[in-house]
Amino acid sequence: MWWHQHNLCFRHPVEEDYSSGDLEKKVATIAETDESAESEDVIDSHKRREILSRRPSYRKILNELSSDGPGVPKIEEEKSEEERTPPHIATMAVPTSIYQTSTGQYIAIAQGGTIQISNPGSDGVQGLQALTMTNSGAPPPGATIVQYAAQSADGTQQFFVPGSQVVVQAATGDMPTYQIRAPTTALPQGVVMAASPGSLHSPQQLAEEATRKRELRLMKNREAAKECRRRKKEYVKCLESRVAVLEVQNKKLIEELETLKDICSPKTD
DNA sequence: ATTACTGAACGTCAGAATAC
DNA sequence: GTATTCTGACGTTCAGTAAT
């Protein structure tokens, strides 16, 4: 294990960095025992081993395993509803978009025009803020009116934004800032507004563009890393459950073998 | 109260894997 | 072949806990 090789680094293997290799070996070993008893699974087992050895991705491996083994649930293509929606906004209307701010806050835009901001660090309703967009009346073109209601006793805040604008996260700054835009100018999730490449002239603008691209890449990678960790956890859980299932199966087969031995070779006194 | 330790989660980088 | 996504490795931060 790597912490023996890196004894200068004061670090222990935590679950996240936990290598699933041992578990994979265990699954493979138990699976091998199964193969000796169930010869029709030989081809599938070889295929499984081959996949495990090169391990292209957790999702792919698990989906493959789930198709030929018991007790292995599929990894969803997307997060489950529970995970997709932050727990603090579980009671709201079905959101159409969820944004996460640089400070970890979630902005959920519901179909009814309700925007809710939740603070992951706080618990339950206390971290819940509501932004309500109403469509009552025809707003003047280009005008955005935000009504800010005073913070209530339970810590919630409400904003009322006429029209069908969207709220997106602003590009920089330590404070969480949001921009309200018309839908036609809205950018994909997490994308920050910037000048188009064709309008860049000065080296400074080019540098800003490079910085913007880097920040976008980092943000994407950040999300990818989170998703990867989630999949890895699920992967390890699935392997554990498979180990349990195969161990039971193995035990049964051994018992069956003993019974058959007794029948076929009765004691001779 | 302070310190040391631990586990969990995170962000970033580099390189592999995959998509186009 | 290039662009994008995924994942292992590494370092950091933070909260919880036991020892002092």
Side-chain angles (χ1 to χ4, degrees):
Chain A
M1 302 291 270
W2 81 262
W3 62 91
H4 290 140
Q5 300 158 1
H6 297 72
N7 53 1
L8 287 178
C9 180
F10 189 70
R11 185 162 171 267
H12 290 254
V14 294
E15 182 192 292
E16 178 195 317
D17 290 338
Y18 163 75
S19 168
S20 50
D22 292 344
L23 201 55
E24 283 169 357
K25 281 177 197 165
K26 196 172 182 183
V27 171
T29 305
I30 296 172
E32 260 176 50
T33 312
D34 277 358
E35 284 160 31
S36 63
E38 301 175 37
S39 56
E40 69 261 27
D41 281 342
V42 166
I43 295 172
D44 279 349
S45 301
H46 281 306
K47 189 179 174 188
R48 185 161 59 239
R49 271 204 298 269
E50 185 187 329
I51 290 166
L52 282 172
S53 65
R54 56 188 163 91
R55 209 167 75 176
S57 77
Y58 298 126
R59 183 186 298 167
K60 207 165 184 175
I61 295 163
L62 260 295
N63 289 344
E64 181 77 20
L65 278 174
S66 68
S67 65
D68 64 2
V72 183
K74 271 199 168 195
I75 288 185
E76 301 292 334
E77 274 302 312
E78 302 211 336
K79 294 175 186 174
S80 64
E81 196 62 40
E82 184 187 340
E83 286 173 295
R84 255 203 317 270
T85 307
H88 321 296
I89 55 176
T91 57
M92 66 181 290
V94 179
T96 56
S97 306
I98 296 177
Y99 302 89
Q100 188 172 21
T101 73
S102 57
T103 57
Q105 286 183 313
Y106 289 98
I107 302 177
I109 303 173
Q111 280 179 331
T114 301
I115 300 175
Q116 291 194 315
I117 302 175
S118 65
N119 296 310
S122 55
D123 54 342
V125 178
Q126 233 179 356
L128 194 70
Q129 297 174 331
L131 279 170
T132 302
M133 294 202 300
T134 62
N135 291 319
S136 58
T144 298
I145 301 169
V146 178
Q147 294 179 2
Y148 171 72
Q151 188 165 353
S152 58
D154 62 355
T156 62
Q157 294 173 329
Q158 286 193 329
F159 298 82
F160 300 98
V161 185
S164 55
Q165 296 91 341
V166 297
V167 173
V168 298
Q169 181 187 348
T172 57
D174 292 324
M175 294 293 288
T177 58
Y178 310 96
Q179 295 177 347
I180 298 172
R181 301 194 186 109
T184 52
T185 61
L187 295 169
Q189 177 175 347
V191 174
V192 172
M193 186 75 91
S196 62
S199 65
L200 295 176
H201 298 296
S202 68
Q204 189 187 353
Q205 281 175 319
L206 288 171
E208 282 174 3
E209 173 69 6
T211 303
R212 188 188 67 82
K213 278 185 179 174
R214 175 186 153 78
E215 284 176 357
L216 182 60
R217 182 172 50 79
L218 288 179
M219 189 184 69
K220 277 186 177 179
N221 188 244
R222 203 152 48 225
E223 293 304 312
K226 281 180 189 172
E227 185 62 16
C228 181
R229 287 175 182 127
R230 186 189 69 80
R231 278 199 297 269
K232 187 174 184 177
K233 269 187 174 180
E234 200 168 341
Y235 173 67
V236 171
K237 272 186 193 171
C238 288
L239 285 183
E240 284 169 349
S241 65
R242 183 148 176 82
V243 165
V245 167
L246 290 173
E247 276 176 344
V248 169
Q249 214 172 336
N250 205 27
K251 196 179 173 185
K252 278 183 185 171
L253 287 169
I254 289 170
E255 286 170 3
E256 197 180 325
L257 179 64
E258 292 300 320
T259 306
L260 288 171
K261 272 184 184 173
D262 287 347
I263 292 171
C264 293
S265 57
K267 287 179 183 175
T268 54
D269 289 308

